[in-house]
Amino acid sequence: MKFLLVTDLDHTLVGDDEATQVLNQRLQSNLRSKICLVYATGRSYASTCELIAHKQLLEPDYLIAGVGSEIYQDGILDLDWAEYLSQDWDKMAIASLAQQFSQLKPQSPKEQNPWKISYSLEPAAENSSTVQALQQKLTESRLPAQIIFSSNRDVDILPKTSNKGNALTYLQKRLQIPSEATLVCGDSGNDISMFQQDVRGVIVANALSELLEWHRECGTENHYLAGAACAWGIMEGMAYFWEF
Ligand code: GLC
Ligand code: MG
């Protein structure tokens, strides 16, 4: 049986270069054949490839990019997933509704894709009310979509069926890997959907308050709060759940 390791990149696998290298070596030397390695990131495919090259990350078996809006295997987009997300998703109508919110600044065109509309908010206390108001407008307009708010700044609008968690469950089912053999790792709001799946999860010590708050309210014995940051925390979680 294979183990499924699904990790966020920024501030989880990447963030402490020494830790990343130690984990890479461990995976490469004796675990690589036992583990199906998946990266789940908010980054676009192109930006993820740059990070993989720059930080000398291992090539993953699958890449969940754009907060779950795209899944790649060997550089090829999963068209079944794309088709699934395209149902009940009116990108143009949603984008024109979001434009009415002057606080929402569109992120660069490189961060947009057919199933992800991303904005940034300036740091401000009322940001979560802006996000709530946007959600309400979408609901009133009967436009199915979910909003993922991270770092008190990033606002991603995705199809209801998308997000990192749903994407990883799609892969987990396809690969038939049981929940106790699936470990997810993350640090921020766009990782919450991963912890909500039938999996084990490690929250790295440097996690943002939005994820720590979720853990306080909804965490179970399947969620481990690591004492160490970034990839050291991933290794701690692997030892805790898998005794690796
Ligand atoms: C990454 C993406 C950005 C997204 C953010 C939060 O930074 O590049 O588009 O908004 O993650 O999910
Ligand atoms: Mg992160």
Side-chain angles (χ1 to χ4, degrees), residues 44-166:
S44 65
Y45 177 70
S47 150
T48 308
C49 292
E50 281 168 25
L51 186 73
I52 290 175
H54 180 225
K55 293 289 178 182
Q56 297 171 307
L57 305 181
L58 301 180
E59 281 302 324
D61 294 296
Y62 294 91
L63 169 62
I64 295 172
V67 207
S69 57
E70 295 184 321
I71 299 177
Y72 290 86
Q73 183 182 19
D74 295 329
I76 296 168
L77 183 70
D78 186 323
L79 295 178
D80 291 338
W81 183 247
E83 197 187 309
Y84 175 60
L85 298 194
S86 302
Q87 296 157 19
D88 261 345
W89 170 244
D90 190 343
K91 184 181 172 181
M92 298 299 280
I94 294 167
S96 68
L97 186 146
Q99 262 172 26
Q100 296 166 17
F101 289 76
S102 58
Q103 309 93 313
L104 293 172
K105 307 289 179 226
Q107 290 183 16
S108 104
K110 288 192 229 154
E111 298 302 337
Q112 320 290 341
N113 74 40
W115 309 275
K116 172 175 180 273
I117 317 170
S118 291
Y119 298 90
S120 298
L121 283 168
E122 294 293 327
E126 65 276 12
N127 280 354
S128 31
S129 354
T130 305
V131 172
Q132 267 171 21
L134 173 63
Q135 182 66 70
Q136 200 176 335
K137 272 266 173 215
L138 287 167
T139 310
E140 280 166 16
S141 313
R142 296 183 196 284
L143 288 169
Q146 67 180 301
I147 304 176
I148 297 179
F149 183 40
S150 321
S151 317
N152 197 31
R153 180 195 59 218
D154 301 321
V155 179
D156 301 311
I157 313 180
L158 308 172
K160 279 242 185 245
T161 40
S162 186
N163 73 41
K164 288 186 182 186
N166 291 343

Side-chain angles (χ1 to χ4, degrees), residues 168-205:
L168 92 85
T169 294
Y170 167 83
L171 291 176
Q172 186 195 30
K173 289 209 170 113
R174 186 203 279 180
L175 300 163
Q176 299 187 315
I177 299 184
S179 42
E180 62 277 9
T182 304
L183 183 65
V184 306
C185 316
D187 75 296
S188 82
N190 75 5
D191 300 311
I192 292 174
S193 64
M194 299 208 285
F195 294 99
Q196 289 170 327
Q197 309 300 309
D198 187 13
V199 297
R200 304 295 181 261
V202 51
I203 294 169
V204 291

